[in-house]
Amino acid sequence: MIWHTLKVGAQLIKDALFWIYHSGSQALFWLDSWDGHPPILSSFPHLQPLSEVFSAAGWDTVEHYKVAQHDGLVLRFHWKHPFEWPPGGSEGDRRELSQLLASRACNSLRGTDVLAWDGSNLSGKYSVVAGYKQIGRQLFGDIEVPWWKHVWHKLSWPKCNFFMWLVAQNRCLTWDNLCKRGFQGPSMCVLCQGCEESVSHIFFQCSYAREIWHFWWGVWNTTCWHVSSLVEFWERWGRAPVSTSFLQAAWAIGPSFIIWNLWLERNRRIFQDLQLMAPHLWRKILHSLGETIVAKCDMTMRVDPRDVDCCNRLHLPPPQRQLMRNRCRHPTPKVNREGRWSPPPLGVLKINSDGSSRGNPGHAGIGGVGRDSSGDVQFIFSEYKGLHT
Ligand SMILES: [Zn+2]
């Protein structure tokens, strides 16, 4: 098994290598890829008999087919004329090879040939991206799923992204998929208790799921539409109907939060015997979505006045208002030169500490840092102090 895999891997790598030929003393004329073209024998397999004639005469590498000629002081190389070739082979094959060579430039370079990576990139430099693409192309062809960018959106949570990837491929463990694996058990959807549970049902067609999607489309003030699979969903997905950038981010990652939370709700009902009604689940979704947007997006951006309603429906405070409020309550402290931290004298440690409580009284904690005369941190500490004022 291991050998088999290694053999496959070796072939993949071999297929992705090509020679940047100089003298041509390393690159095999018939079998290797050189000059950015696939190996001659793989493109012109009918020239096999001719290749055998040349090999028998010892003409293996590209170098054998080149000839040097002085052009004034410059040494130039060109392809040898067919009458300089070893005799043998059919006339037709010889003519075809001659035409083939005429179509390829003959490098007049001397020096060692260089083995390079990835025939599609003539710089020959290996990069992980080029390697991955090349191997992927060889194994699966040029298939790129159009929805990968939606599924792997960088602002969403990795677990939501991963789960969406499973849903897109109908691979998450709903009852129908468990049954395919020989699992015996109830197969009813716990969200609506009216249908068989499947990926398509639980995330898109279930009355409970539709209620959640209805809330979602309401946020954007657009017509509600329903689909039966995630792939179909992304096919119909369009541009955000808003122009404010953090709202566009919410538009892009919202579906992943909905799908992930529908799954959590399904599991809550099965494993904890608890349930949230759709409006409650929707509030939970809005909460996580809002927190993520506030944490990851630039909220100081100006909001398009047309988007303010949408902002409110997402429970996101419009930034200008938020900024103004912050300015009133917490004026930015002016840092003056005297107020700046300065290191203590040699041999003395300076400790800066502070404490705070969440509420009055509330959960309180303290923390601090001790630094030496060169400003290097020597220790840090923090402690929970219980309920304090
Ligand atoms: Zn259902």
Side-chain angles (χ1 to χ4, degrees), residues 150 153 156 164 216 220 234 237 240 247-256:
H150 298 301
H153 199 286
S156 186
M164 268 216 300
W216 168 254
W220 307 98
W234 291 128
W237 190 249
L247 288 177
Q248 288 173 340
W251 166 263
I253 65 175
S256 71

Side-chain angles (χ1 to χ4, degrees), residues 189 191-192 201 206:
C189 165
L191 299 181
C192 66
H201 174 80
C206 179

Side-chain angles (χ1 to χ4, degrees), residues 243-246 298-307 319-320:
S243 57
T244 308
S245 68
F246 66 83
D298 179 5
M299 301 298 288
T300 59
M301 294 285 284
R302 209 185 67 81
V303 177
D304 188 316
R306 287 167 298 177
D307 297 344
Q320 296 105 319

Side-chain angles (χ1 to χ4, degrees), residues 85-279:
W85 293 354
S90 80
E91 265 315 303
D93 288 354
R94 289 174 78 92
R95 205 177 312 120
E96 191 170 350
L97 182 64
S98 164
Q99 282 163 358
L100 174 68
L101 284 179
S103 70
R104 293 196 183 183
C106 180
N107 285 352
S108 57
L109 293 169
R110 286 196 282 188
T112 324
D113 299 345
V114 180
L115 199 54
W117 176 263
D118 185 6
S120 65
N121 170 11
L122 280 178
S123 79
K125 272 197 192 140
Y126 177 79
S127 70
V128 175
V129 174
Y132 180 81
K133 278 192 178 159
Q134 180 74 15
I135 289 174
R137 205 176 304 135
Q138 287 173 34
L139 286 178
F140 310 113
D142 274 320
I143 304 167
E144 192 180 279
V145 287
W147 40 261
W148 73 270
K149 271 192 183 161
H150 298 301
V151 169
W152 298 107
H153 199 286
K154 64 181 178 191
L155 290 182
S156 186
W157 299 356
K159 62 180 171 188
C160 298
N161 289 344
F162 181 71
F163 187 70
M164 268 216 300
W165 178 68
L166 291 178
V167 171
Q169 297 181 92
N170 196 11
R171 286 285 194 280
C172 72
L173 294 179
T174 43
W175 290 121
D176 61 332
N177 281 335
L178 285 168
C179 288
K180 283 183 209 153
R181 290 166 163 79
F183 188 87
Q184 305 277 315
S187 57
M188 199 58 88
C189 165
V190 284
L191 299 181
C192 66
Q193 271 141 14
C195 284
E196 298 276 301
E197 184 190 270
S198 67
V199 172
S200 167
H201 174 80
I202 196 169
F203 298 115
F204 300 103
Q205 302 189 318
C206 179
S207 54
Y208 185 93
R210 282 184 177 222
E211 221 176 318
I212 298 287
W213 286 114
H214 188 79
F215 289 131
W216 168 254
W217 297 117
V219 162
W220 307 98
N221 208 9
T222 53
T223 342
C224 187
W225 47 264
H226 295 292
V227 288
S228 58
S229 77
L230 189 55
V231 172
E232 196 190 332
F233 180 84
W234 291 128
E235 275 167 7
R236 282 191 62 176
W237 190 249
R239 291 167 63 88
V242 284
S243 57
T244 308
S245 68
F246 66 83
L247 288 177
Q248 288 173 340
W251 166 263
I253 65 175
S256 71
F257 282 80
I258 291 177
I259 285 171
W260 174 240
N261 275 281
L262 282 170
W263 184 245
L264 291 185
E265 176 59 19
R266 177 254 191 205
N267 291 342
R268 194 167 14 244
R269 291 180 182 209
I270 294 175
F271 300 113
Q272 296 175 13
D273 207 15
L274 296 171
Q275 57 175 303
L276 292 177
M277 301 320 283

Side-chain angles (χ1 to χ4, degrees), residues 66-79 84 108:
K66 290 168 74 177
V67 64
Q69 206 170 38
H70 277 285
D71 181 3
L73 285 175
V74 189
L75 190 65
R76 292 193 192 284
F77 284 86
H78 57 83
W79 300 119
E84 296 170 276
S108 57

